[in-house]
Amino acid sequence: MHSPPRGPAYAIYYTSLAAIAVPVNLVAIVILSQGRCGLSKCITRYLVSMAVTDLLVITTAVLLNRIPGIYFPGSFLSITPVCSLSITLIYASRDCSVWLTVVFSFDRFVTICCQRLKAKYCTDKTAAMVIGTVCLLGCLINIPWYFMLEPIYIIDNVPWYCRQKDIRYTSLVWTAFDWIDRILTPCLPFFLIILLNALTVRHILVASRVRKRLRAHYNQDNQNDREMESRRKSIILLFAISGSFILLWMTYVVQFLYVQLTNNSKIKDFSDPKFIFRESANMLQLLSCCTNTFIYAVTQNKFREQLNIMVQYPVTLMRKLYK
């Protein structure tokens, strides 16, 4: 996150990502906030909060970090205090986005697998408390990043750019903080999402067998099973979101494990294979911030209906004005 890459490929990618991710997340926020997609208030809260944090990640990491570093090197955004704040916000918004995906997966796990807990936990009020707690902790945990950075150059008493202080590599406290940060995001969420999905699939398979036996016993094979249909839609949404997260974060996790196992993190320049590998991981990780809206459009009929209404609204408005 600290060294914006150079080259036409990076410029095209990050510009395109910003041009797509910002509007699609805004569209998702507007449509989901209206509550007309046939989703419960609990699910809607999680999906809106995920769209908001995804938008914040794109804003801080792409609009305020990557693109200025490529097109406007040496701008006021490169002054060390601004740069430090920008990097801190990147990590905070990233952690909030990742952990909201985890708590959403846990909410769906409880809904499907824990019927006794469902009534107490899967509520609008609980969702709001969980989202607020995740976002607050995400911001507080990343405050030390601001103090871990120092200027690369000082020109006319003005500090420029950011790099990690040498104490980061010699102090046990800072080393422990870095390890905890990497474990909390994305290693622990990565494996928690896989575990929750595995447990959910296991429960669904067992429940499906039981329901089929009961329906066969009462000769109801030809009747629609509304509960199973509702579960199927919820499962498709859950697996699409968590599956997308796992695929796009996998390279980042592999890159982190490679660095830790080989203890080889030094990068010579932008053409170094290790830099290209690291930057590819960052690019895929940031791409995950614009996929959820497309998932909603593919998996949710009512979301598509609201999207069509939004797209057609300007045309409808123009027709009314000319009449």
Side-chain angles (χ1 to χ4, degrees):
M1 291 293 185
H2 310 310
S3 303
R6 303 286 190 273
Y10 296 119
I12 293 171
Y13 178 83
Y14 285 116
T15 303
S16 301
L17 180 62
I20 295 171
V22 171
V24 299
N25 279 301
L26 287 173
V27 166
I29 293 169
V30 171
I31 293 177
L32 292 169
S33 297
Q34 293 175 350
R36 299 174 184 173
C37 296
L39 301 170
S40 67
K41 290 184 178 180
C42 177
I43 296 179
T44 300
R45 275 195 183 274
Y46 282 116
L47 297 184
V48 170
S49 65
M50 289 161 65
V52 171
T53 51
D54 284 347
L55 180 61
L56 289 175
V57 172
I58 294 298
T59 301
T60 55
V62 180
L63 294 180
L64 298 180
N65 183 273
R66 289 295 197 250
I67 290 179
I70 294 171
Y71 293 104
F72 312 107
S75 68
F76 80 96
L77 292 172
S78 300
I79 298 174
T80 301
V82 179
C83 174
S84 299
L85 179 60
S86 173
I87 290 171
T88 304
L89 292 175
I90 290 172
Y91 281 113
S93 58
R94 180 205 62 176
D95 285 5
C96 292
S97 176
V98 169
W99 278 97
L100 284 174
T101 304
V102 176
V103 295
F104 170 73
S105 299
F106 181 74
D107 178 86
R108 294 300 86 203
F109 167 76
V110 172
T111 300
I112 296 170
C113 306
C114 309
Q115 294 301 310
R116 293 183 179 179
L117 183 60
K118 175 182 175 181
K120 295 182 179 180
Y121 182 82
C122 301
T123 63
D124 184 36
K125 183 178 180 180
T126 301
M129 291 177 60
V130 171
I131 293 167
T133 302
V134 167
C135 292
L136 178 61
L137 291 176
C139 293
L140 293 177
I141 289 172
N142 285 285
I143 289 176
W145 278 111
Y146 185 86
F147 303 99
M148 191 185 289
L149 303 169
E150 65 180 3
I152 298 177
Y153 309 108
I154 297 179
I155 303 173
D156 296 331
N157 293 324
V158 178
W160 289 92
Y161 301 103
C162 293
R163 68 179 178 190
Q164 292 186 4
K165 296 178 179 178
D166 292 337
I167 195 175
R168 148 73 177 81
Y169 304 98
T170 57
S171 170
L172 291 177
V173 174
W174 285 117
T175 302
F177 170 77
D178 188 52
W179 264 95
I180 292 171
D181 175 74
R182 298 301 180 93
I183 291 172
L184 289 178
T185 307
C187 294
L188 182 59
F190 190 84
F191 292 110
L192 280 177
I193 289 174
I194 293 176
L195 175 63
L196 290 170
N197 284 351
L199 292 174
T200 302
V201 169
R202 179 178 176 276
H203 177 87
I204 291 167
L205 292 175
V206 173
S208 296
R209 293 193 194 104
V210 173
R211 279 187 85 80
K212 284 181 180 179
R213 290 172 186 169
L214 290 174
R215 289 170 63 79
H217 178 74
Y218 290 103
N219 297 319
Q220 294 179 342
D221 290 329
N222 296 325
Q223 297 181 15
N224 292 327
D225 192 337
R226 293 183 179 179
E227 182 176 341
M228 291 304 295
E229 181 64 20
S230 176
R231 282 189 178 186
R232 186 184 69 84
K233 293 180 179 179
S234 180
I235 292 162
I236 290 173
L237 179 62
L238 168 63
F239 286 0
I241 291 175
S242 56
S244 171
F245 173 86
I246 291 170
L247 288 174
L248 294 175
W249 276 85
M250 186 175 294
T251 307
Y252 190 96
V253 174
V254 171
Q255 186 263 342
F256 165 71
L257 294 176
Y258 167 78
V259 170
Q260 301 306 318
L261 293 174
T262 62
N263 197 27
N264 183 12
S265 60
K266 292 184 178 180
I267 294 175
K268 296 178 181 178
D269 51 39
F270 293 137
S271 62
D272 190 322
K274 291 192 291 294
F275 175 82
I276 295 173
F277 185 33
R278 188 188 74 178
E279 193 58 31
S280 298
N282 286 332
M283 291 165 75
L284 290 173
Q285 173 244 310
L286 290 171
L287 180 62
S288 68
C289 294
C290 70
T291 56
N292 284 353
T293 303
F294 296 104
I295 290 172
Y296 306 150
V298 171
T299 62
Q300 303 295 309
N301 293 331
K302 292 188 177 181
F303 185 90
R304 287 199 299 274
E305 292 174 3
Q306 294 300 315
L307 181 60
N308 287 331
I309 293 172
M310 178 178 287
V311 171
Q312 295 173 8
Y313 179 77
V315 177
T316 305
L317 183 61
M318 291 296 294
R319 286 177 180 175
K320 290 181 178 180
L321 290 175
Y322 278 106
K323 285 182 180 181

